[in-house]
Amino acid sequence: MKHVSCQNCPLRALPLFVAHTDSQVALIESLKREQIVVPADRTVIHEGQGDAPLYTLFSGWAFRFKTLSDGRRQILNFLLPGDFIGVQQKMGDASAHGVQTLTDAMLCVFRRDAVWELHRSAPTLGFGVTWLTAHEESLVDDTLLSVGRRSAEERIATLLVVLYKRVAALLPDGDGQDGVPFPLTQQHIADGLGLSLVHTNKTLRKLERRGLHRIEGGRLHLLDVSTLTRIADLYGDGKPVPRPLI
Amino acid sequence: MKHVSCQNCPLRALPLFVAHTDSQVALIESLKREQIVVPADRTVIHEGQGDAPLYTLFSGWAFRFKTLSDGRRQILNFLLPGDFIGVQQKMGDASAHGVQTLTDAMLCVFRRDAVWELHRSAPTLGFGVTWLTAHEESLVDDTLLSVGRRSAEERIATLLVVLYKRVAALLPDGDGQDGVPFPLTQQHIADGLGLSLVHTNKTLRKLERRGLHRIEGGRLHLLDVSTLTRIADLYGDGKPVPRPLI
DNA sequence: CGACGTGTTGATCTCTCTCAATTAGAGTGG
DNA sequence: CCACTCTAATTGAGAGAGATCAACACGTCG
């Protein structure tokens, strides 16, 4: 696998990510071990795996999940390019989650001590790690609010709007008029929202028949964002806060 | 309010917390502005409040929460002494949560730029902030698994066991034989588990009649930990990982 | 062509919610 | 000391959102 320079990383060009100095990028690159390609539907990190490396998702989709011993699965959040993978595992925590790809993906693999080295050598980037971690927690917070207190219809509307905005922020400016890539199966949606597959299907169809959205050919189209937003009880301009990319 | 020295902070003496060097503690103390006393059931941070300060919970209980516009509330996690309050708010995130006390509490208030200063001046402590943030996320992950995929009985068993262990880790060694303090109302339990108040009550009573636990006089007694643990489908030794205290 | 994964729909079933009423305990004021 | 009030806990009854069970359609792939 060709070792792509972090300096030329196409993700950094996106307005979603804050600029780092040359020396910061050089530090990140020095901590990077390699890039790996992972096919869709592969488990990247197993639940309970204690020695997982640190990754950044470079391309493709993935998700974090936990399961109960009888197989019930909860997806904790979906991972998009630029997302960190595996910080929690590095923290020696008993409760670990698994990570699985949704699509073919490319991951940047970092040295095991990368999180510490970032803190030690570049406070700004160390702060960035904290920021990313706190931000990911806020995504889980939002999902917990949904799963705990929203109806099935409200949950699905929320997921569609929130994911759409996250994906759109990664597309070249102005893109996303013709929908955005959407590789989730209905089983993934169900597992992400604490619903059964059947009820997820029925609720999705109901919203689709009302003309609020369309999922077709692996793309998600939001046809009536304002109604979806109202159903979801969401607020805020939806403009994502620029984030560090490590 | 007397400014108690961080050096002599009684929390640091607990085996739950890792030791810091004198200079690290001095740095923490230099970033500390004051201590404040907050009565029970007070909102410390309002949802959406952007300029919240950074706190450490010194004594008492609190919780983080989010609400929908019609008043439905989801408690995201419970906060015990030593827990950080307000890191996410500092990250300029759109989605903010509220924080409310459950009991009379004492909070250490830090300078607004404390998180950054920690990263800048003491990488170890900056790393500690990341650690704490990641750890808190893992607590939310666990709750999300519960709320999304566990039955009411399983959720309550999980909450009782997990909270009991967290509280016991804060008590003088060997204490906790006669139960642990437990200031939650059934409404708090319901809001933490995505259940209705009535169903929470009925499920609690059912477990209590089976002799698995007892809640009485503001204390929680686990009478049959192994059965509760089995119902909850929990595993692990339950020994908490030592954590930084900032 | 059959197996398999994914999506779809109808028919029950049941867990949990909502509504309603009662009890118990802590304060509070006269 | 006793009514009065308020909060928290409790219990029953009925309703409903969502789960489970079952069948079928459709496309892909070996």
Side-chain angles (χ1 to χ4, degrees):
Chain A
M1 178 50 49
K2 189 180 58 163
H3 189 104
V4 172
S5 143
C6 294
Q7 301 277 0
N8 304 322
C9 177
L11 287 177
R12 298 194 183 284
L14 295 172
L16 176 58
F17 298 100
V18 301
H20 290 323
T21 66
D22 286 351
S23 67
Q24 286 169 347
V25 177
L27 171 62
I28 292 170
E29 185 149 9
S30 75
L31 297 172
K32 180 176 160 186
R33 285 215 325 247
E34 55 174 337
Q35 293 173 220
I36 59 173
V37 172
V38 182
D41 301 316
R42 282 301 163 70
T43 297
V44 177
I45 299 177
H46 291 269
E47 280 183 277
Q49 179 179 343
D51 62 337
L54 182 77
Y55 304 100
T56 292
L57 184 53
F58 173 74
S59 68
W61 290 42
F63 61 88
R64 300 193 307 120
F65 67 94
K66 290 177 77 91
T67 58
L68 297 174
S69 61
D70 64 0
R72 284 175 282 177
R73 178 176 73 171
Q74 178 65 42
I75 292 182
L76 304 169
N77 67 320
F78 295 101
L79 302 169
L80 298 183
D83 282 338
F84 239 177
I85 297 179
V87 195
Q88 294 87 352
Q89 256 84 3
K90 304 308 302 165
M91 300 304 162
D93 228 322
S95 84
H97 54 258
V99 174
Q100 193 166 84
T101 52
L102 279 161
T103 66
D104 294 348
M106 194 173 299
L107 304 177
C108 299
V109 188
F110 289 91
R111 277 168 43 186
R112 213 166 288 283
D113 60 351
V115 174
W116 166 243
E117 280 303 321
L118 285 173
H119 278 86
R120 192 178 68 80
S121 327
T124 303
L125 296 180
F127 187 82
V129 175
T130 297
W131 193 97
L132 288 171
T133 308
H135 181 257
E136 182 172 284
E137 178 179 353
S138 83
L139 294 185
V140 182
D141 287 350
D142 289 338
T143 304
L144 180 53
L145 173 64
S146 265
V147 174
R149 290 308 186 201
R150 278 193 251 247
S151 70
E153 185 175 282
E154 294 166 337
R155 286 182 221 183
I156 290 192
T158 305
L159 178 87
L160 294 179
V161 172
V162 171
L163 259 188
Y164 185 96
K165 287 183 177 171
R166 283 184 65 196
V167 179
L170 285 163
L171 296 178
D173 208 38
D175 218 336
Q177 301 313 311
D178 193 34
V180 300
F182 194 77
L184 307 195
T185 68
Q186 295 184 352
Q187 184 66 64
H188 293 122
I189 298 175
D191 286 347
L193 297 179
L195 296 169
S196 73
L197 172 60
V198 173
H199 197 59
T200 299
N201 174 283
K202 288 174 177 170
T203 308
L204 270 170
R205 295 304 330 274
K206 208 177 298 178
L207 293 177
E208 207 160 338
R209 273 191 235 100
R210 282 169 62 184
L212 304 187
H213 79 284
R214 187 160 39 93
I215 297 176
E216 197 177 33
R219 298 183 76 80
L220 165 65
H221 307 256
L222 295 195
L223 307 176
D224 186 347
V225 184
S226 68
T227 299
L228 284 171
T229 303
R230 187 167 39 71
I231 292 174
D233 193 39
L234 290 170
Y235 51 97
D237 56 5
K239 232 178 219 162
V241 184
R243 54 193 298 177
L245 171 61
I246 294 161
Chain B
M1 177 51 47
K2 191 180 56 163
H3 189 104
V4 172
S5 141
C6 295
Q7 302 277 358
N8 303 322
C9 177
L11 287 177
R12 298 194 184 284
L14 295 172
L16 176 58
F17 298 100
V18 301
H20 291 322
T21 67
D22 287 350
S23 67
Q24 285 168 347
V25 177
L27 171 62
I28 292 170
E29 184 151 7
S30 74
L31 297 173
K32 178 176 160 186
R33 284 215 325 245
E34 56 175 335
Q35 295 173 221
I36 59 174
V37 172
V38 182
D41 301 317
R42 282 301 162 70
T43 298
V44 177
I45 298 177
H46 292 269
E47 281 182 277
Q49 179 179 344
D51 62 338
L54 182 77
Y55 304 100
T56 292
L57 183 54
F58 173 75
S59 68
W61 290 41
F63 61 88
R64 300 194 306 121
F65 67 93
K66 292 176 75 91
T67 58
L68 297 174
S69 60
D70 64 0
R72 282 175 285 176
R73 178 176 74 172
Q74 178 65 43
I75 292 181
L76 304 168
N77 68 321
F78 294 102
L79 302 170
L80 297 182
D83 282 339
F84 240 177
I85 298 179
V87 196
Q88 294 86 351
Q89 257 83 4
K90 304 308 303 164
M91 300 303 164
D93 228 321
S95 87
H97 54 259
V99 174
Q100 195 166 84
T101 54
L102 279 161
T103 68
D104 294 348
M106 192 172 299
L107 304 177
C108 299
V109 189
F110 289 92
R111 277 169 42 186
R112 213 167 288 283
D113 61 350
V115 174
W116 165 244
E117 280 303 320
L118 286 173
H119 278 86
R120 193 177 68 81
S121 327
T124 303
L125 296 180
F127 187 82
V129 175
T130 298
W131 193 97
L132 287 172
T133 308
H135 181 258
E136 182 171 285
E137 177 178 354
S138 83
L139 294 185
V140 182
D141 287 350
D142 288 338
T143 304
L144 180 54
L145 173 64
S146 265
V147 174
R149 289 307 184 202
R150 279 194 250 247
S151 70
E153 183 175 284
E154 294 166 338
R155 287 182 220 183
I156 290 193
T158 305
L159 178 87
L160 293 179
V161 173
V162 171
L163 258 187
Y164 185 95
K165 287 184 177 171
R166 282 185 65 198
V167 179
L170 284 163
L171 296 178
D173 208 37
D175 218 336
Q177 301 313 310
D178 193 34
V180 300
F182 194 76
L184 306 196
T185 67
Q186 295 183 354
Q187 183 66 65
H188 293 122
I189 298 175
D191 286 348
L193 297 178
L195 295 170
S196 73
L197 172 60
V198 173
H199 198 60
T200 298
N201 175 281
K202 288 174 177 171
T203 308
L204 270 170
R205 295 303 332 271
K206 208 178 297 178
L207 294 177
E208 208 159 339
R209 272 192 236 100
R210 283 170 62 182
L212 304 186
H213 78 284
R214 186 160 40 91
I215 296 176
E216 198 177 33
R219 297 185 75 82
L220 165 65
H221 307 256
L222 294 195
L223 306 176
D224 187 346
V225 184
S226 69
T227 301
L228 283 172
T229 303
R230 189 166 39 70
I231 293 174
D233 193 39
L234 290 169
Y235 51 98
D237 56 5
K239 233 180 217 161
V241 183
R243 54 193 297 178
L245 171 61
I246 292 161

